[in-house]
Amino acid sequence: NISIGHTIEGLHKNPPHSHDQWEIIFYTEGSGILHINDSDYSFYPGTSVLIPPGSIHQTITGSHFTTIYIRGDFAHLIMFTEPIIISDNEHKDGAFLIHMIYRNRYKNSNYVSVLCKTYIHYLLSEFTLQKGPSSSIYKIYEQIMENAFDSNIDVGGYLRNSGYAEDYIRMRFKETTGMSPLKFLTKVRIDHACLLLGMYKDRIPLM
């Protein structure tokens, strides 16, 4: 279940609040501070923020701000447990995608879900992690996502080429995502199959 909306125009501050789902905020206007739990993050037009479920957050500006937001169960797409802050690229691809999602928010739910998934993948691809095991985990995550339907996919090879001991990076991957690399691959394939069934179920002839 995905909800899509926008903030009231002229708002300069909102009360601290949280959600039981992931929230993705795209700031269309304004600049200021987004307070999440015990940390402050700067934002300006073009900033996207991925906020984990249960995180208490509040936007504060000196003038006003407007946003487009998406809320949903994106745990199968976003494997991180901390907020993620992303600046849009020079082509403003993030702005294009989020406005496309907003314009089509009342259309077929499967279509909207695909648009949101595309937007999330865009954000994660733009996100630059600090050097260390986290960047290697994210690289493995990307490799699995990109090659999930290749019958010759070599998950073990991704682990061995990470720059870390295979057992160590496998353990860190499981700590970060909550599942082993192979289980993650299986989940990606199942989720995709379920999405296709949802999109084409009316076209599948009954036996």
Side-chain angles (χ1 to χ4, degrees):
N1 186 25
I2 297 173
S3 59
I4 302 164
H6 66 88
T7 54
I8 302 171
E9 292 187 7
L11 197 66
H12 69 91
K13 182 179 180 181
N14 59 6
H17 62 288
S18 65
H19 307 284
D20 58 3
Q21 297 177 310
W22 275 92
E23 180 175 40
I24 304 173
I25 299 174
F26 182 89
Y27 286 93
T28 56
E29 292 183 73
S31 59
I33 297 295
L34 174 60
H35 186 75
I36 306 177
N37 295 328
D38 297 321
S39 300
D40 289 332
Y41 305 89
S42 298
F43 71 84
Y44 48 87
T47 299
S48 295
V49 187
L50 286 73
I51 304 175
S55 300
I56 299 174
H57 55 284
Q58 177 183 31
T59 298
I60 303 171
T61 70
S63 54
H64 72 282
F65 71 96
T66 58
T67 70
I68 295 175
Y69 62 81
I70 303 170
R71 298 180 191 131
D73 181 13
F74 302 128
H76 61 296
L77 298 173
I78 309 170
M79 64 178 185
F80 305 103
T81 57
E82 299 296 325
I84 300 173
I85 316 297
I86 308 103
S87 298
D88 208 354
N89 62 25
E90 60 180 5
H91 304 294
K92 298 185 177 179
D93 292 331
F96 173 80
L97 288 169
I98 193 70
H99 281 97
M100 185 176 181
I101 291 169
Y102 185 76
R103 288 194 304 271
N104 291 277
R105 64 192 183 279
Y106 297 125
K107 291 189 176 180
N108 178 277
S109 61
N110 288 319
Y111 175 63
V112 174
S113 177
V114 170
L115 289 178
C116 290
K117 182 177 180 179
T118 301
Y119 179 52
I120 291 171
H121 282 307
Y122 160 75
L123 294 177
L124 293 177
S125 70
E126 289 292 315
F127 181 53
T128 303
L129 289 167
Q130 296 179 353
K131 292 182 179 180
S134 293
S135 61
S136 294
I137 292 167
Y138 182 61
K139 184 177 180 180
I140 294 167
Y141 165 89
E142 281 191 314
Q143 289 171 322
I144 293 174
M145 293 293 292
E146 290 173 3
N147 302 288
F149 304 101
D150 182 350
S151 60
N152 296 316
I153 187 171
D154 182 10
V155 176
Y158 302 154
L159 299 174
R160 290 189 294 275
N161 294 328
S162 67
Y164 294 88
E166 186 175 346
D167 289 343
Y168 171 76
I169 202 67
R170 182 185 289 107
M171 177 189 70
R172 290 299 305 273
F173 188 97
K174 186 173 182 179
E175 288 176 351
T176 303
T177 65
M179 61 191 82
S180 69
L182 286 177
K183 188 172 181 180
F184 178 71
L185 170 62
T186 301
K187 181 171 174 54
V188 171
R189 288 173 168 172
I190 291 173
D191 287 345
H192 184 73
C194 290
L195 176 62
L196 292 178
L197 285 172
M199 292 177 66
Y200 298 107
K201 62 182 179 182
D202 295 333
R203 305 180 190 178
I204 301 174
L206 297 175
M207 298 300 291

